[in-house]
Amino acid sequence: ETGVTQTPRHLVMGMTNKKSLKCEQHLGHNAMYWYKQSAKKPLELMFVYNFKEQTENNSVPSRFSPECPNSSHLFLHLHTLQPEDSALYLCASSQGSGGSYEQYFGPGTRLTVT
Amino acid sequence: AQSVAQPEDQVNVAEGNPLTVKCTYSVSGNPYLFWYVQYPNRGLQFLLKYITGDNLVKGSYGFEAEFNKSQTSFHLKKPSALVSDSALYFCAVRPNDYKLSFGAGTTVTVRA
């Protein structure tokens, strides 16, 4: 799992806090993704970046704000979250953003909103 | 409507027995199909994918999957399961270069 790293691994935050999740990929990939994984539900794609440009935003609430300063780093800025936002947030990367490219995932950040 | 379905929430098998995890899809054209595995407290790991050609695809850790176009299925198989194969398995489909969609996952438990 050293290909894609995520920090922190666990995060507890109140609804009025501001925090950020960090993802870094060491695979030389051009595309990066944020997913939300909740129990008993399919993975929800949140954002897609290709060559640092956002190419997809799946109607994600504005309290989630992504940032991609370069092809190796991806952030997810969080503010005024709701308890239902508690989930595992997964970062992934791939050589390209479409076609037959498989994605490589980080270990995730377990977020709890109190 | 969900484009990929995993009809079984859980699969239980004894170690040494064959393991099958089912996946069906409902998209047109020639989609790309993937299997991923997730161990506890870990991210998803890529197992194998179908692009084109031979319907039987071999992947990591002794897993293979069979693409069946007429039945729109892509079932994951392993001839002899190990206790260490116990994990959450996800099927995913990307139809004609559109976005990747994941199934809800199947929990596999292999008992010793």
Side-chain angles (χ1 to χ4, degrees):
Chain A
E1 288 192 25
T2 55
V4 181
T5 58
Q6 290 186 244
T7 55
R9 293 293 305 273
H10 300 273
L11 178 62
V12 178
M13 58 185 290
M15 289 189 284
T16 58
N17 291 159
K18 290 184 180 181
K19 296 287 185 183
S20 296
L21 309 184
K22 179 183 177 182
C23 174
E24 183 174 1
Q25 59 97 359
H26 310 272
L27 301 169
H29 289 166
N30 300 309
M32 297 188 76
Y33 313 77
W34 280 116
Y35 287 89
K36 176 182 179 183
Q37 184 178 25
S38 304
K40 307 297 184 184
K41 294 177 66 176
L43 263 68
E44 300 174 46
L45 178 64
M46 301 174 71
F47 302 102
V48 181
Y49 279 82
N50 198 26
F51 291 97
K52 303 189 301 179
E53 299 298 319
Q54 187 180 121
T55 58
E56 194 156 343
N57 176 338
N58 275 345
S59 304
V60 179
S62 60
R63 58 185 183 269
F64 294 91
S65 175
E67 179 190 0
C68 188
N70 54 61
S71 292
S72 298
H73 294 85
L74 185 64
F75 295 89
L76 188 62
H77 303 299
L78 316 171
H79 64 99
T80 59
L81 294 190
Q82 305 298 311
E84 60 265 29
D85 297 323
S86 297
L88 182 67
Y89 288 84
L90 293 166
C91 174
S93 71
S94 62
Q95 185 63 45
S97 64
S100 64
Y101 295 116
E102 64 271 21
Q103 296 178 12
Y104 292 82
F105 287 78
T109 295
R110 175 69 63 185
L111 174 66
T112 303
V113 181
T114 60
Chain B
Q2 193 171 349
S3 55
V4 57
Q6 294 180 240
E8 299 161 316
D9 288 339
Q10 290 202 358
V11 171
N12 299 304
V13 298
E15 188 172 36
N17 281 4
L19 170 63
T20 299
V21 187
K22 296 179 180 177
C23 173
T24 59
Y25 62 93
S26 56
V27 298
S28 59
N30 299 307
Y32 302 113
L33 299 156
F34 305 81
W35 274 103
Y36 290 83
V37 60
Q38 185 177 29
Y39 298 101
N41 302 312
R42 306 279 289 274
L44 278 69
Q45 293 181 34
F46 168 72
L47 278 178
L48 49 79
K49 65 182 176 183
Y50 174 80
I51 304 173
T52 186
D54 193 352
N55 291 342
L56 186 64
V57 179
K58 294 188 182 296
S60 307
Y61 311 120
F63 283 95
E64 57 189 28
E66 186 168 11
F67 172 64
N68 188 318
K69 188 169 185 177
S70 62
Q71 296 185 7
T72 61
S73 67
F74 189 55
H75 301 332
L76 181 70
K77 300 180 181 182
K78 186 169 184 179
S80 179
L82 302 172
V83 172
S84 57
D85 293 327
S86 298
L88 181 57
Y89 290 79
F90 291 96
C91 181
V93 59
R94 178 183 281 123
N96 297 326
D97 222 31
Y98 195 53
K99 64 182 179 182
L100 190 64
S101 294
F102 285 85
T106 298
T107 299
V108 170
T109 302
V110 182
R111 59 185 184 277

